[in-house]
Amino acid sequence: MAYDTIKLRSPYMDDSLVRRIEQQCILRSGMHLGTGEVLYELHAGELLGSWDSRISIKPMREEHVADKMGRVQMHPCEPYLLVEASVHKVQLGHNVYGGPTVFLQAARDLVALVEMLLQTDLPAADHWTVHRVDVANVFDLTKPSIKQFFESMQLLSFPRRGKKAMKTANSVYFPGKTTTVKFYHKGPEFQVHDAGRLKRFFRILFSHLYGTDTQNHERVERKVRALQRLADRRLRVEVEIHADKLQYDFGRCPTAAELTDEYLQRIHDSEIERVLREGKQGMETVRTEEAVWQRLQSLYEPKRAHFLHACWQVMATRGDEKARERYSKTAFYRSRKLLEEAGVSWRGSDVFIVANDSPIHDFTPMRVDRRFCYLPARNRPEYQVSRDLMRLAA
């Protein structure tokens, strides 16, 4: 597990200090004078997306307040800051591997970096409130396996988020009010959003280290190709936890010191289970025809096991929507609930109508899967770059 984009709100601050920060946000950027390349930039606005590598700093003088009728409107208040950034990219310059795993430390590091860049004393990070956290799990799969995974996802239906869901050949996106669930192949995303930026950074870095050495171009290409190879084998599963979810669970947006890693991982697991209709975390998920039949036989009496097995076959071959048409509403949702409780999945099964020798029949994007990435990347020189230097690439 690693953290990616987080959004923090500072305690109320002195107005003169915030005015000074506003001027810094407009002017503050790091530029290589020899090439004109921007090394880092403080951005006084919203980030373009979760892939954005900049640090967003928004001085605010209004906040949402509910009136007597329960309507939420913006009202003037004492000034404060909103800081949003990918703490993964802030630390490493990319989010292919590694990344912070302790939320409080990640928040402290982000606030300390902003404090250093602005050359301004800020309130302690422990007292900043949290308004967004992206929790990511990463899995090591071959490119054909990742392609097969997204093809199998086309059969899934998530009723509450189905209308807004976005499915492509390399990603699946389920937006929601309290959380947003994202599955995506890191390889194509890295190639579009990160490769060019890192090439520019490495060109500046190697020019500084080695001067006008003719080998600099090959050094740059070797570094970026190494990261691209890793990205091509990475399936990222992210849950974006919104302020609404944090307010519901805590009664308000919690401070960075109040938010625990256990809580964030639990939210990630529960949201992924809801989307994938997988079994519980502690039970091994089964999906092949024989394994499903053995599981149902061991848990339910024969008549119910036969009915559930038939329902599972329809969902595995035709998808949720067709199964919902075939069975009554009560029978469908009851059967699906019992299949979930039994740890049975109909995604990536071996009973597709078209013959399918899928390499990922036994894959589930949960921490129990053997392809879950929890160790450091391989100890090769292509991946070894100073963390402080890579921060400049963010």
Side-chain angles (χ1 to χ4, degrees):
M1 179 188 78
Y3 299 110
D4 203 340
T5 301
I6 67 174
K7 185 176 183 178
L8 304 175
R9 171 182 165 164
S10 74
Y12 294 126
M13 302 171 61
D14 184 80
D15 187 65
S16 61
L17 180 60
V18 173
R19 283 200 301 270
R20 178 184 174 188
I21 292 174
E22 286 175 329
Q23 295 174 348
Q24 295 271 17
C25 288
I26 295 172
L27 300 175
R28 177 70 61 175
S29 64
M31 179 178 292
H32 188 277
L33 297 179
T35 64
E37 297 290 349
V38 175
L39 302 180
Y40 64 82
E41 178 182 2
L42 297 183
H43 174 57
E46 298 289 343
L47 298 180
L48 297 177
S50 60
W51 46 264
D52 199 328
S53 61
R54 296 174 298 176
I55 301 174
S56 170
I57 301 177
K58 294 181 64 179
M60 302 289 293
R61 290 180 172 81
E62 290 183 322
E63 62 184 354
H64 291 94
V65 177
D67 60 20
K68 295 180 180 179
M69 302 298 293
R71 293 171 298 191
V72 178
Q73 296 179 334
M74 295 294 287
H75 288 270
C77 66
E78 296 180 55
Y80 62 92
L81 291 182
L82 288 177
V83 175
E84 185 175 5
S86 167
V87 290
H88 197 153
K89 290 186 177 180
V90 163
Q91 287 195 4
L92 299 180
H94 61 81
N95 61 352
V96 177
Y97 64 85
T101 58
V102 179
F103 176 78
L104 179 56
Q105 189 59 50
R108 288 172 176 172
D109 290 343
L110 176 60
V111 173
L113 177 62
V114 171
E115 193 173 50
M116 180 190 71
L117 295 176
L118 293 175
Q119 298 179 355
T120 303
D121 291 334
L122 298 175
D126 294 30
H127 305 302
W128 292 49
T129 54
V130 183
H131 294 254
R132 171 185 171 179
V133 186
D134 284 11
V135 185
N137 284 344
V138 184
F139 299 87
D140 180 17
L141 296 166
T142 63
K143 291 178 70 174
S145 296
I146 295 175
K147 180 176 182 293
Q148 182 66 45
F149 171 79
F150 285 112
E151 288 176 351
S152 69
M153 288 288 285
Q154 303 305 315
L155 286 174
L156 286 180
S157 172
F158 193 53
R160 291 186 178 182
R161 308 193 192 197
K163 293 181 180 179
K164 297 181 180 180
M166 181 180 69
K167 299 180 181 180
T168 72
N170 297 309
S171 64
V172 181
Y173 180 82
F174 293 102
K177 182 179 180 181
T178 58
T179 61
T180 294
V181 178
K182 296 172 279 189
F183 302 81
Y184 64 94
H185 184 190
K186 182 59 188 175
E189 195 257 10
F190 177 85
Q191 188 173 26
V192 172
H193 296 297
D194 292 322
R197 173 176 56 84
L198 289 176
K199 281 183 180 181
R200 292 191 295 271
F201 166 73
F202 284 127
R203 278 198 294 267
I204 296 170
L205 173 63
F206 293 139
S207 176
H208 173 73
L209 293 177
Y210 306 109
T212 57
D213 192 333
T214 57
Q215 297 298 314
N216 283 348
H217 176 75
E218 179 56 31
R219 291 188 180 101
V220 170
E221 293 297 323
R222 188 163 58 246
K223 288 285 187 182
V224 176
R225 283 199 304 266
L227 288 171
Q228 184 68 62
R229 285 195 299 271
L230 271 184
D232 287 340
R233 293 183 58 90
R234 293 299 184 262
L235 172 67
R236 283 181 67 88
V237 180
E238 292 187 10
V239 174
E240 180 182 317
I241 305 173
H242 302 162
D244 287 337
K245 175 62 175 173
L246 299 171
Q247 289 173 347
Y248 179 82
D249 289 347
F250 289 86
R252 55 180 172 76
C253 284
T255 64
E258 293 173 331
L259 209 54
T260 66
D261 299 311
E262 292 76 17
Y263 165 80
L264 294 170
Q265 183 64 75
R266 184 170 68 252
I267 297 301
H268 181 283
D269 291 346
S270 64
E271 291 299 309
I272 297 302
E273 286 179 1
R274 289 178 62 192
V275 170
L276 296 180
R277 302 300 179 187
E278 297 286 357
K280 302 302 180 184
Q281 181 78 5
M283 181 182 292
E284 180 186 359
T285 300
V286 294
R287 65 190 74 244
T288 62
E289 199 277 337
E290 182 60 30
V292 168
W293 173 240
Q294 294 295 333
R295 175 67 60 80
L296 295 176
Q297 269 193 321
S298 66
L299 294 177
Y300 301 114
E301 47 90 15
K303 184 177 180 180
R304 173 161 290 177
H306 279 284
F307 180 81
L308 291 175
H309 189 252
C311 185
W312 172 82
Q313 287 182 318
V314 175
M315 289 191 288
T317 56
R318 306 297 299 278
D320 288 22
E321 295 296 337
K322 291 295 183 181
R324 191 178 291 109
E325 294 174 4
R326 181 167 300 187
Y327 298 99
S328 69
K329 182 177 180 180
T330 302
F332 172 76
Y333 285 106
R334 175 63 177 168
S335 299
R336 191 175 67 179
K337 182 176 183 294
L338 292 175
L339 290 170
E340 292 171 5
E341 291 176 349
V344 169
S345 171
W346 47 95
R347 180 185 55 78
S349 70
D350 60 351
V351 292
F352 284 102
I353 296 175
V354 179
N356 179 15
D357 297 326
S358 170
I360 57 168
H361 284 148
D362 61 338
F363 171 68
T364 179
M366 304 291 287
R367 285 179 294 140
V368 295
D369 192 89
R370 59 185 171 84
R371 284 148 290 206
F372 175 59
C373 297
Y374 59 91
L375 294 174
R378 289 166 292 180
N379 187 25
R380 291 173 54 180
E382 289 88 341
Y383 308 122
Q384 307 310 309
V385 180
S386 164
R387 173 172 293 187
D388 291 335
L389 287 173
M390 286 299 287
R391 277 179 173 172
L392 298 176

